[in-house]
Amino acid sequence: MPQRRNCAPTPGPLPGADRLLILDCRVEQRRGRGARGRRRRRVPVHPRRNPRAARALLGLGIGGFWAIAVGVGTRLVPERFGPRATSLIFGGISIGTVVGVPAGPLLGHQFGWRAAFFIVAALDLIPVILQAVFLPRLSVAKAVTLRSLGALLRNSRARVALAMTLLTITAQFSAYTFVAPFLQQRTGAGPTLISTLLLVFAAAGILGNFATAAALTKALRPTVLGVLAALALSQLLMPVLGPWTPGAFIVLAIWGLTYGGVPVALQTWLFHSDPEAANENGSGMFVATFQSSIAVGSLLGAVMVYASGTRTAMYAGAALATAALALTAFVAQRAGAQTPADAEGA
């Protein structure tokens, strides 16, 4: 008499043999239609919960935050302080990223991953309370519709600004996504040194964010051109100086300082090139272009790495950043995106 299979749920991680047993049970349930097969068999379900719904809600929250946060600064202060307000927002995001990345694993290690999520959720209530107490109510400047987005894209200056964003962010992430593998393979860096170098990049980015905002209020076009030129140069120098540890420190510090100013520079250019974009439509389109470019850049970098290694990803990023620089210097000049300071100096 054949031995009866035990199809009861098994708590905890399932070894390979138990997984095969569960698979057999499911197949038997589908096939069994005899006298004994008519009885409904219990199919075990792995006790691990599906986090997709939570991730979807988190994604909606992050997307809504980016669409609103990057443009609200210019509405809270006078126009001349717009770049500075935007830089404060991006600076806060950068500082939160630098602090949050190591803080999350630390909390999880000390209190468990569930407690870490509860602690972060409690901290999230602090800005909600501060916003309700200190910030004024802001009405929607212009409703976001497909027609309004189409009107934004029909403006040549806005299209140039969005094309600049697409090229620049694609350049950044086609290279930066593979900085850690580059440091491991080419520089011979271990985990501690890689973490230190990436921390240098992040800290320099915070400084670059505020420095760029201060420069944008005085001269928009030269500042944006300088940021893009430095971004292309740092990515170009990474394969050359990066294999040398002090060279990697220098290049990543310059790269981080430069990229820290990229988001505020690109958004300020968009809002000044087309004043009609300084609302929810412009912010939403900017964020959509920015986030899509991250995905495109990461994919392009992966293709380059798979084809011929991490050095090629750095060169691809430098080439795209150079294209963004050329677009800004030649095409955008005819679009006439400039600050009052630029106009006075012309």
Side-chain angles (χ1 to χ4, degrees):
M1 183 176 179
Q3 184 177 2
R4 183 178 179 181
R5 291 188 177 93
N6 178 20
C7 292
T10 305
L14 302 178
D18 287 342
R19 289 187 182 130
L20 292 177
L21 175 59
I22 289 175
L23 181 61
D24 275 349
C25 290
R26 290 178 175 173
V27 171
E28 183 178 348
Q29 179 195 15
R30 293 178 180 178
R31 293 180 177 176
R33 290 294 182 266
R36 298 178 60 184
R38 294 179 186 277
R39 185 177 60 183
R40 187 171 182 177
R41 307 290 178 96
R42 294 182 62 187
V43 180
V45 178
H46 199 283
R48 196 179 304 166
R49 292 182 175 88
N50 190 341
R52 284 180 292 183
R55 290 177 180 175
L57 288 174
L58 179 62
L60 288 174
I62 293 175
F65 166 80
W66 276 106
I68 297 172
V70 297
V72 74
T74 57
R75 299 182 58 194
L76 292 172
V77 298
E79 183 179 357
R80 66 181 184 277
F81 297 126
R84 187 176 301 175
T86 303
S87 73
L88 287 173
I89 294 172
F90 280 116
I93 294 172
S94 300
I95 294 171
T97 302
V98 172
V99 175
V101 169
L106 179 63
L107 291 173
H109 179 73
Q110 292 293 327
F111 306 107
W113 67 269
R114 286 187 176 88
F117 276 100
F118 282 124
I119 293 172
V120 172
L123 291 175
D124 288 339
L125 294 176
I126 297 176
V128 174
I129 296 172
L130 293 176
Q131 175 180 323
V133 173
F134 294 105
L135 294 185
R137 293 179 61 89
L138 294 176
S139 59
V140 177
K142 192 174 183 180
V144 179
T145 63
L146 292 177
R147 179 177 297 179
S148 63
L149 293 177
L152 176 67
L153 293 176
R154 284 194 294 271
N155 186 301
S156 61
R157 296 179 180 182
R159 289 200 305 269
V160 168
L162 293 173
M164 288 166 52
T165 303
L166 175 65
L167 287 171
T168 305
I169 304 306
T170 300
Q172 165 66 16
F173 284 92
S174 64
Y176 181 73
T177 304
F178 300 95
V179 162
F182 177 90
L183 294 172
Q184 182 181 18
Q185 298 170 10
R186 301 289 180 175
T187 315
T192 302
L193 180 56
I194 291 175
S195 299
T196 303
L197 288 168
L198 295 180
L199 182 61
V200 168
F201 179 96
I206 296 173
L207 296 177
N209 171 71
F210 293 110
T212 302
L216 286 169
T217 59
K218 300 176 181 178
L220 175 60
R221 183 180 290 115
T223 301
V224 175
L225 288 172
V227 166
L228 295 179
L231 181 66
L233 181 62
S234 58
Q235 292 177 344
L236 184 64
L237 289 178
M238 191 64 190
V240 179
L241 300 179
W244 180 46
T245 300
F249 269 102
I250 295 172
V251 173
L252 283 174
I254 297 173
W255 190 352
L257 189 70
T258 300
Y259 180 70
V262 164
V264 63
L266 292 174
Q267 183 182 340
T268 303
W269 184 284
L270 172 63
F271 287 178
H272 279 79
S273 62
D274 180 13
E276 293 296 324
N279 52 42
E280 287 79 5
N281 290 282
S283 297
M285 187 63 73
F286 176 77
V287 171
T289 304
F290 198 104
Q291 300 293 339
S292 300
S293 301
I294 293 176
V296 173
S298 301
L299 177 61
L300 177 61
V303 172
M304 295 294 103
V305 170
Y306 182 79
S308 52
T310 53
R311 289 168 59 94
T312 308
M314 304 298 151
Y315 287 131
L320 287 170
T322 303
L325 175 63
L327 176 65
T328 307
F330 299 106
V331 180
Q333 184 176 4
R334 293 187 300 172
Q338 57 184 15
T339 63
D342 291 330
E344 292 172 4

